[in-house]
Amino acid sequence: LLGGLLQALRAAAIAHGRETEDLRRLTAAAAADPDVLPRLAAAAAFGPDVETLESLARRWRVYVDALLFVGRTLASPCVAEAARVCVSAAGVRFHPTEPHRCPCCGSAPSVARLRRADGLRHLTCGLCGTEWQAMRLACACCGTPDRQALGVLRLEDADARWIETCERCKGYIKTVDERKLPDGETVVPVVEEAATLHLDLLAEREGYIRRIPYALSG
């Protein structure tokens, strides 16, 4: 399954003219040793396991960031299905003490939205796609409720989309206020991720870091 997903990822990259040397080397390494793909997916999805990723990066002569992205992309549909089964079967929640982490798989959120109906803040997992309610005034990256550490970056005051930042961990998350969107328009995390790259550039220019790449799940 993971080998087929990797081949599909490479085919999509080739079709869009985005294939890299790292992706070619990864594909060749997986073809030579398919058993390494579950190890890569697990190391990238959970933690992440930086020691394992760095070891694989040296072995295959690729960048750690490339392994992190590819590994999470491979893991995403598997984790999403596992989360769906666990929640539907028994209402399982794995990380109730970490409100800034996905309650199903423990990964970091990708997008925050303020609901149209009541303004409550909901976070969407960047790995399995689960959505959960979270504190409004708390960092979505490290969880700190220290208001002195929290900030906002906007292009325009009236924008429905902005960046929420944290001086403690230097992380950030993109936020969408549904109450400022036209009637009937909904927030689709996959679309938001692609349509708001300008906000990522703004955050990076100001010195904030997105440590965990988004994986297209579901």
Side-chain angles (χ1 to χ4, degrees), residues 32-187:
D33 183 11
D35 290 339
V36 79
L37 287 181
R39 184 182 175 199
L40 169 60
F46 304 112
D49 182 347
V50 177
E51 184 177 344
T52 295
L53 293 174
E54 289 179 341
S55 174
L56 292 173
R58 289 191 297 269
R59 175 179 168 186
W60 295 337
R61 295 181 294 118
V62 299
Y63 287 107
V64 172
D65 285 351
L67 287 181
L68 186 58
F69 173 77
V70 172
R72 282 176 61 82
T73 300
L74 296 180
S76 177
C78 304
V79 176
E81 177 62 12
R84 185 193 66 78
V85 171
C86 288
V87 172
S88 63
V92 174
R93 293 292 187 272
F94 298 114
H95 294 264
T97 61
E98 297 185 86
H100 62 292
R101 290 282 180 167
C102 174
C104 287
C105 74
S107 193
S110 63
V111 174
R113 72 179 178 102
L114 305 184
R115 291 201 314 189
R116 188 187 301 274
D118 50 24
L120 293 176
R121 186 194 201 196
H122 282 244
L123 304 178
T124 300
C125 179
L127 184 64
C128 74
T130 295
E131 185 179 78
W132 70 99
Q133 185 178 330
M135 290 178 58
R136 179 66 186 90
L137 295 177
C139 176
C141 301
C142 70
T144 180
D146 181 4
R147 297 189 181 188
Q148 298 300 316
L150 305 178
V152 172
L153 292 176
R154 300 176 186 265
L155 292 178
E156 299 288 343
D157 289 342
D159 283 352
R161 296 166 174 84
W162 62 82
I163 291 286
E164 295 185 358
T165 63
C166 177
E167 294 303 322
R168 177 167 294 186
C169 69
K170 301 303 290 185
Y172 72 91
I173 191 169
K174 293 182 281 191
T175 298
V176 186
D177 189 343
E178 287 185 332
R179 298 168 298 180
K180 294 184 177 183
L181 298 178
D183 290 342
E185 183 175 339
T186 59
V187 176

Side-chain angles (χ1 to χ4, degrees), residues 18-36:
R18 301 294 297 275
E19 187 187 27
T20 64
E21 183 61 31
D22 280 354
L23 191 52
R24 283 191 288 270
R25 288 177 178 173
L26 277 172
T27 305
D33 183 11
D35 290 339
V36 79

Side-chain angles (χ1 to χ4, degrees), residues 182-205:
D183 290 342
E185 183 175 339
T186 59
V187 176
V188 180
V190 172
V191 176
E192 289 295 330
E193 188 65 22
T196 56
L197 292 177
H198 61 287
L199 293 179
D200 291 297
L201 296 176
L202 173 62
E204 291 171 6
R205 188 182 67 194

